[in-house]
Every structure is written in C-alpha cells, then in structure tokens.
Amino acid sequence: MQVLGVAKMTAKQVLSALRAVARQDKAAFLPGFFKAVPGGYGEGDRFLGCVVPDQRKVARQFRDLSRDELEKLFASPWHECRLTGMLILVGQYEAAAKPKNPHRDFECRGIVDFYLANLDAVNNWDIVDTTSPKILGAWLVEHFDERRVLDRLAASDVLWERRVAVLATLSLIKNDEFEEIVELAERLMDDGHDLMHKAIGWMLREMGNRDQRQLEMFLKKHAKTMPRTMLRYSIEKLSREDRTKWMNQ
C-alpha cells in the first residue's frame, strides 16, 4: 500500500536523473569501449554517457523502486538504465540478506528468481560482473542444492549467461569453495569467446589468491592446452619466475 503523501518512484524519474549526470564525452567514448559497434559483442547498445559512480548514486536514490518499474529499466535501450536498475536490485538483495531480517530467505529467493528471469538485461560484461556475484553467487553460498543453475547457464548459447555462471563462483571462491569454478573452467575451456577466457582466468586467479596449491593443481593439468588469455589472467598474481614457468609449458 502506498503511503499517503509519498509519490511512487518511477523508471522515468531514474532516466531523468541519469540524463542530469550524463556527459557528452562519455557518450562518445562508451560505445567503442563496450564494443557497441557493428560486429562487436555489444552491437546496437546505446549510451547516455554516465560514469558508474554517478549511476551508483542514482541507484541509492531509487533503492526502493518497484519490480514493475525495474522491469521498465531493464527493457530500456539505454545501457545506463539497465545497469542502474541492476544496481538497485543488488542493493535490494543486500538489504534483504541482512541477518536480522525475519523474512530474509523468502525475500532473497524472490530477488534471485527475479534476476534470473531478467537476464536479457544483463547483456554486457559490466552488468554481469556487478550483479552475478552479489545476487546469484551470494545466494548459492548458502544454498548448495541450487548450484545446478550454474550448469544450465554454462550450457547457454548466450555469452552473457555463460559469464553469469562463471562470475557467480566469485562468492563461492571467497568462501573457499573451489569445486564449481574448477568444473566450469574445464567445461568451458574451449569456449570461443575471449571474454569468457578472461572471466575464467580471473576466477582462477582469485582461487589462487585463496589457495595457490589449488591453482597449481589446475595448471599442471591444463596449462599446456588452455587458451593463452585464460592462462595469463590466472597466473597474474604469481611471481615472475612462476609466470614464466607456466607460460612456457
């Protein structure tokens, strides 16, 4: 029920707030940066020209936006509307996940289901990377029996859904759980997209930061055949001597 005298927040207001902080120089730069050019992975995307810190401020301003209005943002042709909408959803998940919330599990599940139902809006690497670990990954840390969703996403023909699966493991890795990233890395070893090689290598590097022995076990098995980009990303934090050793496998 709407509180008397409190106007409902709308997606149009979010768009207006984003337009107010948009910059012409960024609007010209961002399409190239996010490969929104013909033949690029973000082909056809449109940009207002907002930087992420400003989008986070707008997201906090509209943190209570309803799901109906969020869906309008998700359907927007503007990249910043979709990202800001997803940042709002991340904030709503974090609020729902607070230990003292008596409806914590129910509310978090609803947000995760809503997120998965709107993955069409998670259609570039920045939107994936700022949402998947903090919504899906955070949920899976506490719900082991639901981790099969990673298999479904990894099998998708959609690049961004495969990346969602990989980035969700970041929360598991930070919880010292490595089985999922190892399985996904082996499963997606032959993925043809460079963005997947980077994502997997990044997660392997994070695993190595937590447990270098686990990374070395993976490298002993796969360093000779894994994509070079994936290998370079995975060993980035090792010593120069170790990096040289693995690159020369």
Side-chain angles (χ1 to χ4, degrees):
M1 182 175 71
Q2 185 171 318
V3 178
L4 186 63
V6 178
K8 178 183 177 182
M9 294 179 178
T10 68
K12 286 184 178 180
Q13 291 173 333
V14 176
L15 175 57
S16 295
L18 291 171
R19 287 189 186 279
V21 295
R23 294 166 42 183
Q24 278 191 331
D25 61 326
K26 290 298 181 181
F29 168 76
L30 290 172
F33 183 72
F34 285 107
K35 301 296 188 289
V37 295
Y41 54 71
E43 182 175 0
D45 208 352
R46 299 169 64 189
F47 294 83
L48 294 165
C50 306
V51 296
V52 172
D54 286 338
Q55 291 176 75
R56 292 190 182 279
K57 290 178 183 177
V58 172
R60 288 193 292 271
Q61 181 183 350
F62 292 91
R63 61 183 177 272
D64 296 323
L65 198 68
S66 71
R67 291 188 186 171
D68 287 345
E69 296 300 313
L70 280 173
E71 286 181 330
K72 293 176 184 178
L73 290 178
F74 297 160
S76 173
W78 297 110
H79 183 98
E80 291 92 340
C81 283
R82 300 193 303 280
L83 176 55
T84 301
M86 284 294 170
L87 289 172
I88 293 170
L89 194 63
V90 168
Q92 292 179 354
Y93 184 91
E94 290 174 344
K98 290 182 178 179
K100 291 184 179 180
N101 179 7
H103 308 292
R104 182 177 186 271
D105 205 62
F106 174 79
E107 292 179 6
C108 287
R109 177 181 293 279
I111 292 170
V112 171
D113 289 345
F114 183 65
Y115 176 70
L116 292 173
N118 285 278
L119 285 183
D120 285 350
V122 186
N123 57 355
N124 214 313
W125 59 263
D126 61 325
I127 309 179
V128 173
D129 297 2
T130 55
T131 59
S132 180
K134 294 185 177 181
I135 298 178
L136 181 59
W139 175 258
L140 295 179
V141 166
E142 299 184 13
H143 297 84
F144 179 86
D145 59 336
E146 297 188 27
R147 295 183 187 182
R148 59 186 177 276
V149 68
L150 299 177
D151 294 327
R152 176 175 66 80
L153 292 170
S156 174
D157 292 332
V158 179
L159 163 65
W160 308 119
E161 293 189 0
R162 300 197 303 277
R163 188 166 172 119
V164 164
V166 171
L167 263 292
T169 68
L170 179 58
S171 295
L172 305 180
I173 292 167
K174 289 181 177 180
N175 201 47
D176 293 327
E177 298 183 70
F178 310 126
E179 180 179 350
E180 285 75 18
I181 185 53
V182 169
E183 289 181 354
L184 288 177
E186 291 179 338
R187 177 175 181 174
L188 297 170
M189 189 77 65
D190 297 325
D191 193 291
H193 208 289
D194 187 60
L195 283 177
M196 291 301 297
H197 301 166
K198 292 177 179 178
I200 295 167
W202 172 18
M203 293 302 101
L204 291 173
R205 183 180 73 222
E206 293 299 322
M207 179 178 73
N209 288 343
R210 306 286 297 193
D211 188 336
Q212 188 169 323
R213 184 182 64 86
Q214 290 287 337
L215 174 60
E216 290 174 346
M217 288 172 57
F218 184 91
L219 294 174
K220 285 177 182 178
K221 187 175 180 180
H222 298 293
K224 290 182 180 180
T225 56
M226 62 195 291
R228 296 296 91 179
T229 297
M230 187 186 301
L231 176 59
R232 283 195 299 272
Y233 270 62
S234 69
I235 64 177
E236 189 175 28
K237 294 295 180 69
L238 300 182
S239 68
R240 179 179 295 182
E241 181 181 359
D242 283 343
R243 294 198 305 271
T244 300
K245 179 187 73 173
W246 291 116
M247 289 301 298
N248 290 334
Q249 289 290 307

